[in-house]
Amino acid sequence: DTAVSQTPKYLVTQMGNDKSIKCEQNLGHDTMYWYKQDSKKFLKIMFSYNNKELIINETVPNRFSPKSPDKAHLNLHINSLELGDSAVYFCASSQYRASGGTDTQYFGPGTRLTVL
Amino acid sequence: EDQVTQSPEALRLQEGESSSLNCSYTVSGLRGLFWYRQDPGKGPEFLFTLYSAGEEKEKERLKATLTKKESFLHITAPKPEDSATYLCAGPNQAGTALIFGKGTTLSVSS
C-alpha cells in the first residue's frame, strides 16, 4: 500500500510535445506538492496546493500547470516540452499545519523526464 | 533569502567510523527542520523532524540534534547500508513548501 505514488516512472519524449505526470496519495493529507530535482540533485519546489489555494513558485514557466481532480490527486501537465525540462519530478503530500510552517512531507518515487 | 546549507557535500567513511553532517539555515522564524534520506533512483524518505532548540531524535545509528542556528545528523558506527544522500530542509517563510539543502552524499565502505 504505497503512500504516495506517481506514474509513469520514466517518460521519454520529443521537444514540443505535451505530457502529464500523475500523482496519488492515500495518506488522507490535504496538501500536495510538486518538486523538481535537477541534474545536480537539487530539490526545488514548483507548486503547493490544498483545497484552498494554489501557490506557484514564480520561477516556474507557465507551460507547467498542476491539476487536482480531488484531494488525493495532483497531476502535473507540461506543454511544449523543452530540453531544459529534463529532470526528475517528485510529488509529495502533507497535512496542513494551522500553526504555521509545514508538517512532514512524504514523497513519491519520482518521474524521470527526458526530453530529446 | 531563506536558505538551507549542508556540509560536507560528500563524506566517505569506513564501516564503524562515526561522524556528523551539518545543516545550517537562515529561515527566519524557523518552524521545523526536516531530515530525509535519498537513495539513488528513489524519492526522499523521511527520517526526523525537529522543532525546538535542544531537541534530539534517534533512529538506529542516526541521531539528529537542533540548536538555534543549525542541526547535526550524527551517524554512529555506520554500516554500508547507511550509504545514501542525506537531505536537510526547512519550511519557507510562508510555510507553503520546504527549502532543501543540496545534500550530503555519504559513502560507507566495509
Side-chain angles (χ1 to χ4, degrees):
Chain A
D1 52 344
T2 305
V4 182
S5 59
Q6 295 178 228
T7 55
K9 186 164 177 62
Y10 300 97
L11 183 55
V12 181
T13 187
Q14 299 288 328
M15 265 197 316
N17 285 350
D18 302 339
K19 289 293 178 185
S20 292
I21 305 172
K22 295 185 177 181
C23 176
E24 176 181 1
Q25 56 95 5
N26 62 7
L27 297 168
H29 290 160
D30 58 9
T31 306
M32 296 183 72
Y33 311 83
W34 278 104
Y35 287 84
K36 179 181 181 180
Q37 189 168 47
D38 60 25
S39 56
K40 296 182 179 179
K41 309 297 183 186
F42 189 42
L43 262 174
K44 193 168 183 181
I45 185 69
M46 298 178 71
F47 305 99
S48 63
Y49 182 80
N50 62 25
N51 58 0
K52 297 179 180 179
E53 63 180 332
L54 168 67
I55 298 175
I56 303 171
N57 184 316
E58 60 187 14
T59 66
V60 176
N62 57 15
R63 298 181 293 103
F64 290 78
S65 57
K67 299 185 190 302
S68 179
D70 55 56
K71 277 178 56 173
H73 296 83
L74 183 65
N75 303 325
L76 181 64
H77 190 75
I78 315 168
N79 289 326
S80 302
L81 278 155
E82 301 178 357
L83 292 176
D85 297 332
S86 295
V88 182
Y89 293 84
F90 288 100
C91 176
S93 72
S94 73
Q95 196 61 29
Y96 175 70
R97 189 175 169 88
S99 58
T102 173
D103 209 348
T104 300
Q105 294 183 18
Y106 294 89
F107 284 77
T111 295
R112 181 175 293 277
L113 171 65
T114 302
V115 182
L116 304 176
Chain B
E1 181 184 346
D2 297 341
Q3 194 168 352
V4 177
T5 304
Q6 292 186 246
S7 63
E9 286 187 20
L11 181 62
R12 291 182 175 274
L13 299 174
Q14 291 290 320
E15 186 172 4
E17 180 186 2
S18 301
S19 188
S20 296
L21 314 181
N22 176 261
C23 171
S24 62
Y25 49 86
T26 61
V27 179
S28 53
L30 181 71
R31 293 149 290 169
L33 190 292
F34 300 81
W35 282 99
Y36 288 83
R37 168 187 171 136
Q38 186 173 24
D39 292 295
K42 296 191 175 181
E45 175 189 349
F46 170 70
L47 291 174
F48 305 109
T49 305
L50 303 166
Y51 285 105
S52 305
E55 189 175 359
E56 298 183 354
K57 289 192 177 175
E58 288 188 65
K59 181 180 179 181
E60 296 181 350
R61 294 175 293 282
L62 300 177
K63 182 169 78 172
T65 62
L66 183 64
T67 71
K68 288 186 178 179
K69 293 187 177 182
E70 58 189 347
S71 178
F72 292 93
L73 185 65
H74 307 278
I75 303 174
T76 302
K79 297 182 177 182
E81 52 261 44
D82 295 321
S83 298
T85 296
Y86 291 86
L87 299 169
C88 173
N92 61 3
Q93 187 64 40
T96 54
L98 289 177
I99 301 173
F100 279 85
K102 294 186 177 180
T104 294
T105 299
L106 173 66
S107 299
V108 182
S109 54
S110 56

